[in-house]
């Protein structure tokens, strides 16, 4: 099996080439899909598909090879995490290991953990800027995590050594937004990323 | 330290097609890619307010179905779906206040789903605030720029949180 290249120490000047890749955007909001579509076109993507619900996603996955799925955590009828689990558990589908980027407007720690435990590669908080989305895509492109297949989980390794956040890749100060008080604090994008790479071996939180 | 892998656990490397192709040289340089994406967003900005108006109409229709005495999960889901869409796109389209108000509304609906009584007036207030925030004069404003509105919406949310059974006080 071919080894995956080492992740560069800094991704600040790294670009991704999205041309020819089939990207599936799954979000129930038509305007949200347009926004993401626009961003991806700006990044150079030229094969972008859209899905409004889980049935559309699963149908697209059965019909063709999807290279990356950008998936809303609240995708109807159940949610995007259930879709993620369904994809990871389907041993017959060649898309089983495809990268899944979960978008959530509820970036609370519990949601992020659930996304990680469902088998997502990364979580991005909505609303998102082009910079944030681009950096998540770069992250996934250079992510060298192994996959774990065990009776209770299939997906990217949730346990790996803390490497820190790549220098120069992060949210812009202007991405911050004040929101109302919550029963559980929302996480910053950096926290989400940390959580996703968070744990040392054997440490689940 | 290397831990032994249990027999029923398989650990393997995957290099996806996404990784293979995304790492190819010739991609749009990062700064240019972001600039082009922002340009694409700018192109659809003129349609945003029309879409917001449509969403607010849908929200108002959903509110009519949800009276104080008779509110079901389907009506709450509909209100929350509309609010979530506004929250998710507002800031990206330059309307930070829309995201703030819609986020507050989503949280209020969460409290109702957690057992707090539904208060149509609270939801109406959020819709009024959204109608205000969609105006050009409010485009570049954030919650700090409209402290009275922000405090009022926060208070509503706090009150709703307190009225969840078991969370009083």
């Amino acid at each position: 099996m071919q080894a995956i290249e080492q992740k560069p120490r800094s991704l600040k000047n790294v670009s991704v080439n999205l041309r020819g890749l089939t990207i599936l955007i799954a979000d129930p909001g038509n305007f949200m899909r347009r926004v993401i579509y626009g961003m991806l076109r700006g990044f150079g993507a030229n094969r972008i598909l859209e899905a409004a619900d889980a049935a559309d996603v699963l149908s697209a996955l059965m019909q063709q090879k999807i290279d990356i799925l950008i998936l809303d955590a609240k995708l109807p009828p159940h949610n995007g995490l259930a879709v993620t689990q369904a994809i990871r558990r389907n041993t017959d589908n060649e898309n089983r290991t495809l990268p899944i980027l979960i978008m959530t407007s509820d970036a609370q720690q519990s949601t992020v953990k659930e996304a990680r435990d469902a088998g997502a590669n990364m979580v991005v908080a909505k609303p998102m800027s082009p910079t944030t989305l681009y950096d998540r895509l770069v992250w996934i492109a250079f992510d060298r995590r192994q996959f774990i297949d065990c009776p209770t989980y299939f997906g990217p390794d949730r346990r790996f050594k803390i490497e820190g956040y790549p220098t120069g890749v992060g949210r812009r100060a202007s991405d911050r937004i004040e929101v109302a008080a919550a029963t559980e604090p929302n996480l910053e994008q950096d926290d989400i990323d940390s959580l996703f790479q968070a744990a040392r071996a054997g440490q689940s939180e | 330290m290397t831990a032994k892998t249990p027999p029923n656990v398989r650990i393997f490397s995957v290099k996806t097609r996404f990784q293979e192709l995304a790492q190819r040289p010739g991609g749009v340089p990062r700064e240019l890619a972001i600039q082009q994406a922002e340009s694409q967003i700018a192109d659809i900005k003129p349609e945003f307010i029309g879409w917001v108006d449509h969403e607010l109409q849908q929200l108002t229709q959903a509110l009519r179905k949800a009276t104080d005495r008779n509110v079901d999960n389907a009506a709450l889901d509909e209100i929350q779906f509309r609010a979530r869409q506004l929250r998710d796109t507002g800031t990206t389209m330059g309307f930070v206040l829309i995201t703030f108000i819609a986020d507050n509304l989503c949280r209020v609906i969460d409290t109702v789903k957690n057992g707090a009584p539904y208060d149509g007036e609270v939801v109406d207030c959020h819709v009024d605030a959204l109608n205000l925030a969609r105006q050009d004069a409010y485009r570049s404003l954030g919650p700090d720029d409209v402290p009275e509105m922000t405090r009022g919406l926060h208070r509503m949310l706090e009150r709703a949180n307190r009225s969840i059974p078991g969370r009083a006080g």
Side-chain angles (χ1 to χ4, degrees), chain A residues 1-5 11-12 14-21 28-32 34-35 38-39 41-44 47 67-68 74 97 99 105 108 126-128 130-131 134-135 137 140-143 146-151 154 168 172 177-183 186, chain B residues 8-34 36-38 40-41 43-45 47-48 51 55 81 84-85 87-93 96-97 99-100 103-104 107 143-144 150 154 157-158 161 164 167:
Chain A
M1 190 167 294
Q2 197 176 6
I4 293 173
E5 284 84 1
L11 299 181
K12 190 174 181 180
V14 173
S15 61
V16 284
N17 189 344
L18 302 182
R19 191 154 191 87
L21 287 163
N30 58 345
F31 202 87
M32 188 70 210
R34 276 192 75 189
V35 169
M39 288 185 190
R41 291 288 294 176
F43 298 160
R47 296 179 65 186
D67 293 311
I68 185 166
K74 301 274 189 188
T97 56
S105 38
Q108 295 178 354
K126 287 182 182 176
M128 59 187 170
T131 305
Y134 190 85
D135 290 341
L137 294 172
I140 292 173
F142 290 93
D143 182 10
Q146 290 184 305
F147 257 66
I148 303 292
D149 183 5
C150 70
F154 184 93
R172 297 178 303 183
I177 177 170
E178 185 186 336
V179 292
T183 53
N186 260 12
Chain B
N8 59 349
V9 176
R10 190 167 62 100
I11 302 174
F12 58 101
S13 295
V14 173
K15 183 161 186 178
T16 61
R17 205 175 99 94
F18 177 78
Q19 289 180 313
E20 276 179 22
L21 297 189
Q23 291 181 17
R24 287 171 300 170
V28 181
R30 182 174 183 274
E31 293 307 318
L32 178 60
I34 291 166
Q36 287 181 171
E38 283 168 350
Q40 291 271 346
I41 290 171
D43 286 347
I44 58 174
K45 271 186 182 173
E47 297 165 46
F48 180 63
W51 175 79
E55 288 304 301
F81 171 67
R84 200 182 297 130
Q85 288 210 86
R87 170 174 70 178
D88 292 349
T89 50
T91 297
T92 308
M93 303 311 287
V96 175
L97 261 186
T99 290
F100 165 71
D103 180 70
N104 210 69
R107 292 172 192 271
D144 289 343
T150 300
H154 276 160
L157 177 59
E158 285 164 15
N161 267 320
I164 296 173
R167 283 201 203 168

Side-chain angles (χ1 to χ4, degrees), chain B residues 24-121:
Chain B
R24 287 171 300 170
V28 181
R30 182 174 183 274
E31 293 307 318
L32 178 60
I34 291 166
Q35 194 182 329
Q36 287 181 171
E38 283 168 350
S39 173
Q40 291 271 346
I41 290 171
D43 286 347
I44 58 174
K45 271 186 182 173
E47 297 165 46
F48 180 63
I49 286 302
W51 175 79
V52 168
D53 288 343
H54 175 263
E55 288 304 301
L56 286 174
Q57 278 176 10
Q58 298 292 317
L59 192 53
T60 306
Q61 281 181 16
L63 292 179
R64 287 198 195 112
K65 291 179 195 163
T67 63
D68 291 4
R69 287 183 185 174
N70 180 24
V71 59
D72 57 19
N73 275 336
L76 291 176
D77 285 345
E78 177 70 11
I79 294 168
Q80 204 167 38
F81 171 67
R82 301 291 166 190
R84 200 182 297 130
Q85 288 210 86
L86 293 167
R87 170 174 70 178
D88 292 349
T89 50
T91 297
T92 308
M93 303 311 287
F95 287 82
V96 175
L97 261 186
I98 286 183
T99 290
F100 165 71
I101 299 162
D103 180 70
N104 210 69
L105 177 54
C106 285
R107 292 172 192 271
V108 167
I109 298 300
D110 277 339
T111 67
V112 179
K113 287 182 170 177
N114 286 323
Y118 175 80
D119 185 343
E121 283 187 15

